[in-house]
Amino acid sequence: MEQDKDAVLERIRAFFASIGLPCEPATLEEPTFLPGIRVECGGLLFDAERLAFPGDLLHEAGHLAVVPAEERRTLSGNIDRGGAEEMAAIAWSWAALVHLRLAPEVVFHPDGYRGEAAAIIENFSAGRFVGVPWLQWRGMSLEPEQAARQGEEPFPAMRRWLCD
């Protein structure tokens, strides 16, 4: 799996373009919640010079993806609203990294997730998927039992990437 920062960034940007999630380069001189990333009106701006971890874009995109489009367009700044939405954003970003064939550490790096990145990787690798009930509730993915009943692929397969 390719881990070159520029290549990973381009792969992520191409994925966002394919699902209709705005992600544009920008010069971000002011401090941001995550280095080199700002959420602006439901899209992502990134400063490649300040971007510490390209995988952080996937997690921030997860926050945007799990809310309906009308609400998404109003989101700017620090959009971590905690609780179930945080868990859904984690699950969404796991599904995205699997889809993109990226190493889990691209998103769940040691400098993030309040020191719990390794535990998240361990849980998801073992099939213990927090946040998937929210994705299922939003019609974005299915837990294994529901997927089996409907004859569809379970999480980390996604029915759709945006809650629209």
Side-chain angles (χ1 to χ4, degrees), residues 55-56 58-60 86 89-90 93 107-117 120:
D56 287 346
L58 284 176
H59 182 74
E60 290 305 290
E86 176 65 20
I90 288 172
S93 57
V107 176
F108 302 103
H109 51 81
D111 290 345
Y113 302 92
R114 298 182 181 106
E116 297 298 323
I120 293 170

Side-chain angles (χ1 to χ4, degrees), residues 16 21-24 37-39 42-46 57 60-61 64:
F16 291 163
L21 187 68
C23 181
E24 299 296 329
I37 301 172
R38 184 171 75 215
V39 174
L44 295 165
L45 300 175
F46 72 95
L57 283 166
E60 290 305 290
L64 294 170

Side-chain angles (χ1 to χ4, degrees), residues 2 11 159:
E2 190 172 9
R11 190 183 305 172
R159 297 170 112 189

Side-chain angles (χ1 to χ4, degrees), residues 28-162:
L28 303 176
E29 295 178 4
E30 70 282 354
T32 55
F33 179 68
L34 291 173
I37 301 172
R38 184 171 75 215
V39 174
E40 191 71 37
C41 299
L44 295 165
L45 300 175
F46 72 95
D47 187 329
E49 296 298 316
R50 295 186 57 220
L51 183 63
F53 301 98
D56 287 346
L57 283 166
L58 284 176
H59 182 74
E60 290 305 290
H63 282 284
L64 294 170
V66 301
V67 297
E70 185 175 306
E71 182 180 351
R72 183 181 321 123
R73 287 188 288 273
T74 69
L75 297 176
S76 293
N78 179 4
I79 58 170
D80 180 1
R81 301 188 302 188
E85 281 188 25
E86 176 65 20
M87 295 294 103
I90 288 172
W92 188 95
S93 57
W94 181 270
L97 72 84
V98 169
H99 176 77
L100 294 171
R101 301 174 51 89
L102 297 171
E105 294 80 8
V106 169
V107 176
F108 302 103
H109 51 81
D111 290 345
Y113 302 92
R114 298 182 181 106
E116 297 298 323
I120 293 170
I121 292 171
E122 179 184 327
N123 282 319
F124 275 82
S125 295
R128 296 185 299 268
F129 301 130
V130 299
V132 177
W134 182 283
L135 298 180
Q136 182 170 289
W137 174 63
R138 293 290 198 189
M140 299 171 73
S141 189
L142 293 171
E143 294 177 292
E145 289 180 21
Q146 187 72 6
R149 282 196 293 275
Q150 296 187 27
E152 294 186 38
E153 290 294 315
F155 180 86
M158 297 291 285
R159 297 170 112 189
R160 63 178 192 242
W161 288 100
L162 298 177

